[in-house]
Amino acid sequence: MAKGIKIATIGGGSSYTPELVEGFIKRYDEFPLSELWLVDVETGKEKLEIVGNLAKRMIKEAGLPIDVHLTLDRREALKDADFVTTQFRVGGLDARAKDERIPVKYGVLGQETNGPGGLFKGLRTIPVILGITKDMEELCPNAWLINFTNPAGMVTEAVLRYSNIDRVVGLCNVPIGMEMGIAKLLDVDHSRIRIDFAGLNHMVYGLNVYLDGVSVKEEVIEKLSDPENSSFVKNIDGMGWEPEFIQALDALTCPYHMYYYKSKEMLDKAIESSKTEGTRAEVVQALEKELFELYKNENLNIKPPQLEERGGAYYSDAAVRLITSIYNDKRDIQPVNTMNRGAIASIPAESAVEVSCVITKDGPVPLTVGDLPVAARGLVQQIKSFERISAEAAVTGDYNKAVLALTINPLTPSDKIAKEIIDEMMEAHKAHLPQFFQETVSVN
Ligand code: G6P
């Protein structure tokens, strides 16, 4: 008998897991999954149990023959897997709260994937993902790694540069969130909308947007001046763009552009909320408590709508549509993080970019962009340099490289402040940064 499809989900105890399970249930006809292995670490054991049992109830309710396995043994889960999805958070939400709080004390934005927070999340995560890819080489060499773990762009860059696997795709819900948001703005079904995406993760532009094949870019750009319409994710409040700016930019922005083109206002807001309702991590911690209480209810057998209050909405749509297209060699177009291979002229060919791709059984084939508009090009290159140097620091444990990465980040005002922040954050995250507290390792 042919072996059924096996998926290993690392970080399986995440509150987002019901999203993923819902996605597999919805697309079962196209993607007949037979084994779902949810893996977590010892500290996540309780959450894994709770969310894993909900996953089992959801599958039972759907009447599907998918076996759900819960384990703390990553190697057992990876053995002969066809797809490995990663959604883990090293240090949990406590670490995220530090990433968001510490920089603010120095007058620098605290955010989980941008500036100092992005750097430190990368420093904690990259060694772990490289451990996973090593295990994959041995235990499931033909599997695809679908990485959702943030900072997804930097993590994909690190896997492309420092691992021996090339079947990796980085995925984010921002592009799909933009498609959904724009469909809502125009009051049409989202299947009629197509956006030409180009840039980097959390730094992606829509170079054009079509409704039934006809460009509606001007109309959409006009709407982006309205604060109500300028963010498409729950975790970032839109502030609306100055019409003169957004019209001259002549491209759609993603929600994370707020941090770069409205740095002052976003910093002020971060300072304010750190004193009032708490940072986003702290808000999410409260939300998670509620979610896990709901998940415990033995009568619950669907994804609860409260999960949609999280920034990762549509995560399962993005993940499962990608996996389904690889499996079925669909050759449809989806925005993912993959090796540039010349699609964007001003980014190194071997670097990770977030770009519209044709999804085949051999992976994503990026659509040629040519180049980014001149107004966007410099910032994208700068962020790519930040990601690259951060990834190098994560692998080597080179402190100076970490200082360099943070200093060149556009959200950091000086090398001195970069160093001060790094010193405090290194200490705060010491338990998850062994590479900086042991002997230097060399890049392979
Ligand atoms: C966005 C991003 C994700 C991120 C999420 C955070 O949508 O694209 O990369 O993980 O928000 O949401 P949260 O609810 O945890 O703040």
Side-chain angles (χ1 to χ4, degrees), residues 16 89 93 96 112-113 148 150 172-174 201-202 233-235 256 280 284 287 309-313:
Y16 280 119
R89 192 188 281 284
L93 283 168
R96 175 176 173 185
E112 70 162 342
T113 63
F148 240 105
N150 272 325
C172 180
N173 64 326
V174 159
N201 180 236
H202 288 184
V233 289
K234 285 270 163 56
N235 55 316
Y256 287 81
R280 178 71 187 164
V284 165
L287 202 60
E309 290 311 305
R310 296 291 305 275

Side-chain angles (χ1 to χ4, degrees), residues 227 230-231 233-240 258-259 266 269 277:
S230 55
S231 170
V233 289
K234 285 270 163 56
N235 55 316
I236 302 174
D237 288 337
M239 289 192 178
M258 294 277 159
Y259 296 117
M266 292 303 272
K269 235 177 159 177
E277 82 260 27

Side-chain angles (χ1 to χ4, degrees), residues 98-123:
K98 290 176 189 165
D99 285 344
E100 293 176 345
R101 252 187 199 279
I102 296 172
V104 169
K105 292 202 277 182
Y106 298 86
V108 175
L109 182 85
Q111 208 282 325
E112 70 162 342
T113 63
N114 291 266
L119 168 66
F120 274 81
K121 190 155 179 17
L123 298 180

Side-chain angles (χ1 to χ4, degrees), residues 262-333:
K262 276 194 191 293
S263 311
K264 180 175 184 319
E265 292 82 351
M266 292 303 272
L267 173 61
D268 289 348
K269 235 177 159 177
I271 295 173
E272 178 61 26
S273 51
S274 71
K275 293 182 192 146
T276 53
E277 82 260 27
T279 69
R280 178 71 187 164
E282 289 153 0
V283 170
V284 165
Q285 273 170 324
L287 202 60
E288 279 228 326
K289 265 206 186 109
E290 245 179 78
L291 281 173
F292 276 93
E293 278 312 309
L294 287 171
Y295 292 177
K296 278 183 194 163
N297 180 350
E298 305 239 321
N299 296 319
L300 181 75
N301 49 22
I302 52 162
K303 178 189 92 179
Q306 286 87 335
L307 186 51
E308 275 154 27
E309 290 311 305
R310 296 291 305 275
Y314 309 123
Y315 147 62
S316 74
D317 278 318
V320 185
R321 89 175 172 180
L322 171 65
I323 293 173
T324 306
S325 290
I326 295 176
Y327 178 75
N328 292 302
D329 196 21
K330 272 201 177 171
R331 305 182 189 203
D332 54 348
I333 297 174

